[in-house]
Amino acid sequence: GEWVHPKIDNPDYKGPWVHPMIDNPDYVEDDTIHAVCNPCTHVGFELWQVKAGTVFDDIIVTDSADELAAFEAETWEAKNAAEEKAIEEEKAKEEAEREQRMKEAAEAQAAEEDEEDDEEEDDEEE
């Protein structure tokens, strides 16, 4: 079986550590901490991507649901149908290529079998 390292009891173990809550007398609640620019002219993003080729576009920063809906209709909805069509076309192309490879492999195997049959017939005639 799989090796398991031996364990011994720790007599000093007191359970999981819980950090102490310490009061901060200088803390003051600030409801406007994120409202630092009006109007905001620039927004910065730190993006970490795991997979190459990731594209970010049509970025909007707003607090208006109506503005968001209009922006979505102009950008995402307009591109989504075309992107889905392109994906379907790519899948169909890949499927056609796969079927073509399978057909060629079957033809090659049939040709090989025919060649073997011809060789057997030649051997029988001798």
Side-chain angles (χ1 to χ4, degrees):
E2 188 172 323
W3 180 81
V4 178
H5 66 280
K7 295 182 181 182
I8 59 172
D9 287 336
N10 180 355
D12 296 330
Y13 181 70
K14 297 176 181 141
W17 180 77
V18 178
H19 68 279
M21 298 297 289
I22 302 171
D23 287 336
N24 180 355
D26 296 331
Y27 176 76
V28 177
E29 183 77 30
D30 185 1
D31 293 335
T32 62
I33 194 166
H34 299 292
V36 293
C37 65
N38 192 8
C40 291
T41 58
H42 297 79
V43 175
F45 294 94
E46 180 178 355
L47 302 173
W48 291 38
Q49 68 178 32
V50 177
K51 183 174 130 185
T54 303
V55 177
F56 295 89
D57 63 353
D58 301 333
I59 297 172
I60 183 172
V61 178
T62 183
D63 60 356
S64 167
D66 295 334
E67 184 179 4
L68 173 61
F71 183 82
E72 184 179 54
E74 291 173 14
T75 57
W76 182 82
E77 290 177 4
K79 294 179 196 173
N80 188 46
E83 288 176 359
E84 286 181 357
K85 181 180 178 186
I87 289 169
E88 290 300 319
E89 288 173 355
E90 184 66 25
K91 285 181 182 177
K93 180 181 173 185
E94 289 173 1
E95 179 66 21
E97 289 173 356
R98 186 182 69 78
E99 288 177 4
Q100 180 64 27
R101 286 192 306 270
M102 290 178 63
K103 180 181 176 184
E104 289 171 359
E107 289 173 353
Q109 185 177 1
E112 187 177 305
E113 289 172 359
D114 286 345
E115 188 176 304
E116 288 175 3
D117 289 344
D118 289 344
E119 288 176 6
E120 288 176 8
E121 288 177 8
D122 290 343
D123 290 342
E124 289 176 4
E125 289 178 5
E126 292 178 3

mmCIF file with all atom_site columns, all heavy atoms in Angstrom, residues 40-58:
data_model
loop_
_atom_site.group_PDB
_atom_site.id
_atom_site.type_symbol
_atom_site.label_atom_id
_atom_site.label_alt_id
_atom_site.label_comp_id
_atom_site.label_asym_id
_atom_site.label_entity_id
_atom_site.label_seq_id
_atom_site.pdbx_PDB_ins_code
_atom_site.Cartn_x
_atom_site.Cartn_y
_atom_site.Cartn_z
_atom_site.occupancy
_atom_site.B_iso_or_equiv
_atom_site.pdbx_formal_charge
_atom_site.auth_seq_id
_atom_site.auth_comp_id
_atom_site.auth_asym_id
_atom_site.auth_atom_id
_atom_site.pdbx_PDB_model_num
ATOM 1   N N   . CYS A 1 40 ? -14.141 60.530 -13.472 1.00 0.00 ? 40 CYS A N   1
ATOM 2   C CA  . CYS A 1 40 ? -12.946 59.704 -13.645 1.00 0.00 ? 40 CYS A CA  1
ATOM 3   C C   . CYS A 1 40 ? -12.605 59.670 -15.125 1.00 0.00 ? 40 CYS A C   1
ATOM 4   O O   . CYS A 1 40 ? -13.480 59.454 -15.960 1.00 0.00 ? 40 CYS A O   1
ATOM 5   C CB  . CYS A 1 40 ? -13.188 58.286 -13.135 1.00 0.00 ? 40 CYS A CB  1
ATOM 6   S SG  . CYS A 1 40 ? -13.356 58.194 -11.355 1.00 0.00 ? 40 CYS A SG  1
ATOM 7   N N   . THR A 1 41 ? -11.354 59.884 -15.453 1.00 0.00 ? 41 THR A N   1
ATOM 8   C CA  . THR A 1 41 ? -10.953 59.886 -16.865 1.00 0.00 ? 41 THR A CA  1
ATOM 9   C C   . THR A 1 41 ? -10.145 58.653 -17.240 1.00 0.00 ? 41 THR A C   1
ATOM 10  O O   . THR A 1 41 ? -10.008 58.347 -18.408 1.00 0.00 ? 41 THR A O   1
ATOM 11  C CB  . THR A 1 41 ? -10.123 61.134 -17.190 1.00 0.00 ? 41 THR A CB  1
ATOM 12  O OG1 . THR A 1 41 ? -8.975  61.155 -16.340 1.00 0.00 ? 41 THR A OG1 1
ATOM 13  C CG2 . THR A 1 41 ? -10.948 62.389 -16.969 1.00 0.00 ? 41 THR A CG2 1
ATOM 14  N N   . HIS A 1 42 ? -9.594  57.932 -16.245 1.00 0.00 ? 42 HIS A N   1
ATOM 15  C CA  . HIS A 1 42 ? -8.776  56.762 -16.536 1.00 0.00 ? 42 HIS A CA  1
ATOM 16  C C   . HIS A 1 42 ? -9.043  55.689 -15.488 1.00 0.00 ? 42 HIS A C   1
ATOM 17  O O   . HIS A 1 42 ? -9.330  55.997 -14.335 1.00 0.00 ? 42 HIS A O   1
ATOM 18  C CB  . HIS A 1 42 ? -7.284  57.114 -16.514 1.00 0.00 ? 42 HIS A CB  1
ATOM 19  C CG  . HIS A 1 42 ? -6.884  58.090 -17.556 1.00 0.00 ? 42 HIS A CG  1
ATOM 20  N ND1 . HIS A 1 42 ? -7.102  59.447 -17.438 1.00 0.00 ? 42 HIS A ND1 1
ATOM 21  C CD2 . HIS A 1 42 ? -6.297  57.911 -18.757 1.00 0.00 ? 42 HIS A CD2 1
ATOM 22  C CE1 . HIS A 1 42 ? -6.643  60.061 -18.501 1.00 0.00 ? 42 HIS A CE1 1
ATOM 23  N NE2 . HIS A 1 42 ? -6.148  59.147 -19.321 1.00 0.00 ? 42 HIS A NE2 1
ATOM 24  N N   . VAL A 1 43 ? -8.930  54.458 -15.924 1.00 0.00 ? 43 VAL A N   1
ATOM 25  C CA  . VAL A 1 43 ? -9.059  53.325 -15.016 1.00 0.00 ? 43 VAL A CA  1
ATOM 26  C C   . VAL A 1 43 ? -7.896  52.385 -15.318 1.00 0.00 ? 43 VAL A C   1
ATOM 27  O O   . VAL A 1 43 ? -7.587  52.129 -16.475 1.00 0.00 ? 43 VAL A O   1
ATOM 28  C CB  . VAL A 1 43 ? -10.391 52.570 -15.217 1.00 0.00 ? 43 VAL A CB  1
ATOM 29  C CG1 . VAL A 1 43 ? -10.459 51.332 -14.343 1.00 0.00 ? 43 VAL A CG1 1
ATOM 30  C CG2 . VAL A 1 43 ? -11.557 53.486 -14.938 1.00 0.00 ? 43 VAL A CG2 1
ATOM 31  N N   . GLY A 1 44 ? -7.254  51.875 -14.278 1.00 0.00 ? 44 GLY A N   1
ATOM 32  C CA  . GLY A 1 44 ? -6.154  50.939 -14.482 1.00 0.00 ? 44 GLY A CA  1
ATOM 33  C C   . GLY A 1 44 ? -6.557  49.541 -14.051 1.00 0.00 ? 44 GLY A C   1
ATOM 34  O O   . GLY A 1 44 ? -7.291  49.370 -13.087 1.00 0.00 ? 44 GLY A O   1
ATOM 35  N N   . PHE A 1 45 ? -6.091  48.544 -14.791 1.00 0.00 ? 45 PHE A N   1
ATOM 36  C CA  . PHE A 1 45 ? -6.359  47.150 -14.473 1.00 0.00 ? 45 PHE A CA  1
ATOM 37  C C   . PHE A 1 45 ? -5.035  46.411 -14.370 1.00 0.00 ? 45 PHE A C   1
ATOM 38  O O   . PHE A 1 45 ? -4.141  46.627 -15.189 1.00 0.00 ? 45 PHE A O   1
ATOM 39  C CB  . PHE A 1 45 ? -7.186  46.464 -15.573 1.00 0.00 ? 45 PHE A CB  1
ATOM 40  C CG  . PHE A 1 45 ? -8.569  46.989 -15.718 1.00 0.00 ? 45 PHE A CG  1
ATOM 41  C CD1 . PHE A 1 45 ? -8.850  47.984 -16.633 1.00 0.00 ? 45 PHE A CD1 1
ATOM 42  C CD2 . PHE A 1 45 ? -9.593  46.486 -14.944 1.00 0.00 ? 45 PHE A CD2 1
ATOM 43  C CE1 . PHE A 1 45 ? -10.132 48.471 -16.778 1.00 0.00 ? 45 PHE A CE1 1
ATOM 44  C CE2 . PHE A 1 45 ? -10.878 46.957 -15.079 1.00 0.00 ? 45 PHE A CE2 1
ATOM 45  C CZ  . PHE A 1 45 ? -11.148 47.961 -15.999 1.00 0.00 ? 45 PHE A CZ  1
ATOM 46  N N   . GLU A 1 46 ? -4.922  45.559 -13.400 1.00 0.00 ? 46 GLU A N   1
ATOM 47  C CA  . GLU A 1 46 ? -3.788  44.648 -13.338 1.00 0.00 ? 46 GLU A CA  1
ATOM 48  C C   . GLU A 1 46 ? -4.331  43.280 -13.709 1.00 0.00 ? 46 GLU A C   1
ATOM 49  O O   . GLU A 1 46 ? -5.124  42.701 -12.984 1.00 0.00 ? 46 GLU A O   1
ATOM 50  C CB  . GLU A 1 46 ? -3.186  44.608 -11.937 1.00 0.00 ? 46 GLU A CB  1
ATOM 51  C CG  . GLU A 1 46 ? -2.017  43.669 -11.845 1.00 0.00 ? 46 GLU A CG  1
ATOM 52  C CD  . GLU A 1 46 ? -1.377  43.641 -10.476 1.00 0.00 ? 46 GLU A CD  1
ATOM 53  O OE1 . GLU A 1 46 ? -1.765  44.421 -9.606  1.00 0.00 ? 46 GLU A OE1 1
ATOM 54  O OE2 . GLU A 1 46 ? -0.484  42.809 -10.289 1.00 0.00 ? 46 GLU A OE2 1
ATOM 55  N N   . LEU A 1 47 ? -3.935  42.799 -14.863 1.00 0.00 ? 47 LEU A N   1
ATOM 56  C CA  . LEU A 1 47 ? -4.473  41.549 -15.378 1.00 0.00 ? 47 LEU A CA  1
ATOM 57  C C   . LEU A 1 47 ? -3.399  40.480 -15.373 1.00 0.00 ? 47 LEU A C   1
ATOM 58  O O   . LEU A 1 47 ? -2.311  40.682 -15.897 1.00 0.00 ? 47 LEU A O   1
ATOM 59  C CB  . LEU A 1 47 ? -4.992  41.729 -16.811 1.00 0.00 ? 47 LEU A CB  1
ATOM 60  C CG  . LEU A 1 47 ? -6.065  42.792 -16.989 1.00 0.00 ? 47 LEU A CG  1
ATOM 61  C CD1 . LEU A 1 47 ? -6.366  42.986 -18.460 1.00 0.00 ? 47 LEU A CD1 1
ATOM 62  C CD2 . LEU A 1 47 ? -7.314  42.401 -16.240 1.00 0.00 ? 47 LEU A CD2 1
ATOM 63  N N   . TRP A 1 48 ? -3.718  39.354 -14.774 1.00 0.00 ? 48 TRP A N   1
ATOM 64  C CA  . TRP A 1 48 ? -2.843  38.187 -14.799 1.00 0.00 ? 48 TRP A CA  1
ATOM 65  C C   . TRP A 1 48 ? -3.564  37.152 -15.628 1.00 0.00 ? 48 TRP A C   1
ATOM 66  O O   . TRP A 1 48 ? -4.650  36.717 -15.269 1.00 0.00 ? 48 TRP A O   1
ATOM 67  C CB  . TRP A 1 48 ? -2.616  37.665 -13.394 1.00 0.00 ? 48 TRP A CB  1
ATOM 68  C CG  . TRP A 1 48 ? -1.820  38.538 -12.519 1.00 0.00 ? 48 TRP A CG  1
ATOM 69  C CD1 . TRP A 1 48 ? -1.840  39.907 -12.456 1.00 0.00 ? 48 TRP A CD1 1
ATOM 70  C CD2 . TRP A 1 48 ? -0.874  38.116 -11.549 1.00 0.00 ? 48 TRP A CD2 1
ATOM 71  N NE1 . TRP A 1 48 ? -0.976  40.343 -11.508 1.00 0.00 ? 48 TRP A NE1 1
ATOM 72  C CE2 . TRP A 1 48 ? -0.365  39.261 -10.930 1.00 0.00 ? 48 TRP A CE2 1
ATOM 73  C CE3 . TRP A 1 48 ? -0.408  36.875 -11.143 1.00 0.00 ? 48 TRP A CE3 1
ATOM 74  C CZ2 . TRP A 1 48 ? 0.589   39.208 -9.930  1.00 0.00 ? 48 TRP A CZ2 1
ATOM 75  C CZ3 . TRP A 1 48 ? 0.535   36.825 -10.144 1.00 0.00 ? 48 TRP A CZ3 1
ATOM 76  C CH2 . TRP A 1 48 ? 1.031   37.984 -9.553  1.00 0.00 ? 48 TRP A CH2 1
ATOM 77  N N   . GLN A 1 49 ? -2.975  36.741 -16.723 1.00 0.00 ? 49 GLN A N   1
ATOM 78  C CA  . GLN A 1 49 ? -3.629  35.724 -17.537 1.00 0.00 ? 49 GLN A CA  1
ATOM 79  C C   . GLN A 1 49 ? -2.814  34.450 -17.508 1.00 0.00 ? 49 GLN A C   1
ATOM 80  O O   . GLN A 1 49 ? -1.603  34.463 -17.520 1.00 0.00 ? 49 GLN A O   1
ATOM 81  C CB  . GLN A 1 49 ? -3.855  36.201 -18.956 1.00 0.00 ? 49 GLN A CB  1
ATOM 82  C CG  . GLN A 1 49 ? -2.608  36.386 -19.788 1.00 0.00 ? 49 GLN A CG  1
ATOM 83  C CD  . GLN A 1 49 ? -2.959  36.806 -21.188 1.00 0.00 ? 49 GLN A CD  1
ATOM 84  O OE1 . GLN A 1 49 ? -3.936  37.491 -21.405 1.00 0.00 ? 49 GLN A OE1 1
ATOM 85  N NE2 . GLN A 1 49 ? -2.161  36.400 -22.142 1.00 0.00 ? 49 GLN A NE2 1
ATOM 86  N N   . VAL A 1 50 ? -3.535  33.346 -17.444 1.00 0.00 ? 50 VAL A N   1
ATOM 87  C CA  . VAL A 1 50 ? -2.911  32.034 -17.405 1.00 0.00 ? 50 VAL A CA  1
ATOM 88  C C   . VAL A 1 50 ? -2.768  31.489 -18.821 1.00 0.00 ? 50 VAL A C   1
ATOM 89  O O   . VAL A 1 50 ? -1.802  30.818 -19.147 1.00 0.00 ? 50 VAL A O   1
ATOM 90  C CB  . VAL A 1 50 ? -3.753  31.074 -16.536 1.00 0.00 ? 50 VAL A CB  1
ATOM 91  C CG1 . VAL A 1 50 ? -3.175  29.683 -16.542 1.00 0.00 ? 50 VAL A CG1 1
ATOM 92  C CG2 . VAL A 1 50 ? -3.851  31.607 -15.119 1.00 0.00 ? 50 VAL A CG2 1
ATOM 93  N N   . LYS A 1 51 ? -3.710  31.784 -19.655 1.00 0.00 ? 51 LYS A N   1
ATOM 94  C CA  . LYS A 1 51 ? -3.739  31.234 -21.009 1.00 0.00 ? 51 LYS A CA  1
ATOM 95  C C   . LYS A 1 51 ? -3.442  32.356 -22.004 1.00 0.00 ? 51 LYS A C   1
ATOM 96  O O   . LYS A 1 51 ? -4.078  33.405 -21.976 1.00 0.00 ? 51 LYS A O   1
ATOM 97  C CB  . LYS A 1 51 ? -5.129  30.657 -21.265 1.00 0.00 ? 51 LYS A CB  1
ATOM 98  C CG  . LYS A 1 51 ? -5.309  29.997 -22.593 1.00 0.00 ? 51 LYS A CG  1
ATOM 99  C CD  . LYS A 1 51 ? -6.680  29.358 -22.644 1.00 0.00 ? 51 LYS A CD  1
ATOM 100 C CE  . LYS A 1 51 ? -7.385  29.774 -23.898 1.00 0.00 ? 51 LYS A CE  1
ATOM 101 N NZ  . LYS A 1 51 ? -8.731  29.306 -23.989 1.00 0.00 ? 51 LYS A NZ  1
ATOM 102 N N   . ALA A 1 52 ? -2.471  32.123 -22.877 1.00 0.00 ? 52 ALA A N   1
ATOM 103 C CA  . ALA A 1 52 ? -2.132  33.125 -23.886 1.00 0.00 ? 52 ALA A CA  1
ATOM 104 C C   . ALA A 1 52 ? -3.302  33.320 -24.845 1.00 0.00 ? 52 ALA A C   1
ATOM 105 O O   . ALA A 1 52 ? -4.068  32.404 -25.095 1.00 0.00 ? 52 ALA A O   1
ATOM 106 C CB  . ALA A 1 52 ? -0.895  32.687 -24.658 1.00 0.00 ? 52 ALA A CB  1
ATOM 107 N N   . GLY A 1 53 ? -3.432  34.515 -25.347 1.00 0.00 ? 53 GLY A N   1
ATOM 108 C CA  . GLY A 1 53 ? -4.468  34.789 -26.329 1.00 0.00 ? 53 GLY A CA  1
ATOM 109 C C   . GLY A 1 53 ? -5.749  35.345 -25.728 1.00 0.00 ? 53 GLY A C   1
ATOM 110 O O   . GLY A 1 53 ? -6.720  35.553 -26.433 1.00 0.00 ? 53 GLY A O   1
ATOM 111 N N   . THR A 1 54 ? -5.770  35.578 -24.436 1.00 0.00 ? 54 THR A N   1
ATOM 112 C CA  . THR A 1 54 ? -6.954  36.146 -23.812 1.00 0.00 ? 54 THR A CA  1
ATOM 113 C C   . THR A 1 54 ? -7.097  37.600 -24.257 1.00 0.00 ? 54 THR A C   1
ATOM 114 O O   . THR A 1 54 ? -6.124  38.338 -24.284 1.00 0.00 ? 54 THR A O   1
ATOM 115 C CB  . THR A 1 54 ? -6.843  36.078 -22.278 1.00 0.00 ? 54 THR A CB  1
ATOM 116 O OG1 . THR A 1 54 ? -6.635  34.726 -21.905 1.00 0.00 ? 54 THR A OG1 1
ATOM 117 C CG2 . THR A 1 54 ? -8.088  36.611 -21.604 1.00 0.00 ? 54 THR A CG2 1
ATOM 118 N N   . VAL A 1 55 ? -8.308  37.995 -24.617 1.00 0.00 ? 55 VAL A N   1
ATOM 119 C CA  . VAL A 1 55 ? -8.550  39.339 -25.110 1.00 0.00 ? 55 VAL A CA  1
ATOM 120 C C   . VAL A 1 55 ? -9.566  40.022 -24.196 1.00 0.00 ? 55 VAL A C   1
ATOM 121 O O   . VAL A 1 55 ? -10.592 39.439 -23.852 1.00 0.00 ? 55 VAL A O   1
ATOM 122 C CB  . VAL A 1 55 ? -9.101  39.296 -26.555 1.00 0.00 ? 55 VAL A CB  1
ATOM 123 C CG1 . VAL A 1 55 ? -9.436  40.695 -27.045 1.00 0.00 ? 55 VAL A CG1 1
ATOM 124 C CG2 . VAL A 1 55 ? -8.112  38.620 -27.480 1.00 0.00 ? 55 VAL A CG2 1
ATOM 125 N N   . PHE A 1 56 ? -9.263  41.248 -23.836 1.00 0.00 ? 56 PHE A N   1
ATOM 126 C CA  . PHE A 1 56 ? -10.193 42.055 -23.054 1.00 0.00 ? 56 PHE A CA  1
ATOM 127 C C   . PHE A 1 56 ? -10.608 43.227 -23.927 1.00 0.00 ? 56 PHE A C   1
ATOM 128 O O   . PHE A 1 56 ? -9.760  43.952 -24.447 1.00 0.00 ? 56 PHE A O   1
ATOM 129 C CB  . PHE A 1 56 ? -9.529  42.585 -21.779 1.00 0.00 ? 56 PHE A CB  1
ATOM 130 C CG  . PHE A 1 56 ? -9.148  41.504 -20.816 1.00 0.00 ? 56 PHE A CG  1
ATOM 131 C CD1 . PHE A 1 56 ? -7.913  40.901 -20.887 1.00 0.00 ? 56 PHE A CD1 1
ATOM 132 C CD2 . PHE A 1 56 ? -10.042 41.091 -19.843 1.00 0.00 ? 56 PHE A CD2 1
ATOM 133 C CE1 . PHE A 1 56 ? -7.561  39.904 -20.014 1.00 0.00 ? 56 PHE A CE1 1
ATOM 134 C CE2 . PHE A 1 56 ? -9.700  40.088 -18.958 1.00 0.00 ? 56 PHE A CE2 1
ATOM 135 C CZ  . PHE A 1 56 ? -8.456  39.494 -19.042 1.00 0.00 ? 56 PHE A CZ  1
ATOM 136 N N   . ASP A 1 57 ? -11.899 43.397 -24.103 1.00 0.00 ? 57 ASP A N   1
ATOM 137 C CA  . ASP A 1 57 ? -12.384 44.542 -24.851 1.00 0.00 ? 57 ASP A CA  1
ATOM 138 C C   . ASP A 1 57 ? -13.744 44.947 -24.307 1.00 0.00 ? 57 ASP A C   1
ATOM 139 O O   . ASP A 1 57 ? -14.323 44.264 -23.474 1.00 0.00 ? 57 ASP A O   1
ATOM 140 C CB  . ASP A 1 57 ? -12.447 44.250 -26.352 1.00 0.00 ? 57 ASP A CB  1
ATOM 141 C CG  . ASP A 1 57 ? -13.426 43.146 -26.710 1.00 0.00 ? 57 ASP A CG  1
ATOM 142 O OD1 . ASP A 1 57 ? -13.957 42.505 -25.792 1.00 0.00 ? 57 ASP A OD1 1
ATOM 143 O OD2 . ASP A 1 57 ? -13.665 42.926 -27.904 1.00 0.00 ? 57 ASP A OD2 1
ATOM 144 N N   . ASP A 1 58 ? -14.233 46.067 -24.770 1.00 0.00 ? 58 ASP A N   1
ATOM 145 C CA  . ASP A 1 58 ? -15.552 46.566 -24.376 1.00 0.00 ? 58 ASP A CA  1
ATOM 146 C C   . ASP A 1 58 ? -15.683 46.684 -22.862 1.00 0.00 ? 58 ASP A C   1
ATOM 147 O O   . ASP A 1 58 ? -16.613 46.160 -22.250 1.00 0.00 ? 58 ASP A O   1
ATOM 148 C CB  . ASP A 1 58 ? -16.663 45.656 -24.922 1.00 0.00 ? 58 ASP A CB  1
ATOM 149 C CG  . ASP A 1 58 ? -16.615 45.552 -26.436 1.00 0.00 ? 58 ASP A CG  1
ATOM 150 O OD1 . ASP A 1 58 ? -16.132 46.501 -27.069 1.00 0.00 ? 58 ASP A OD1 1
ATOM 151 O OD2 . ASP A 1 58 ? -17.046 44.525 -26.966 1.00 0.00 ? 58 ASP A OD2 1
#
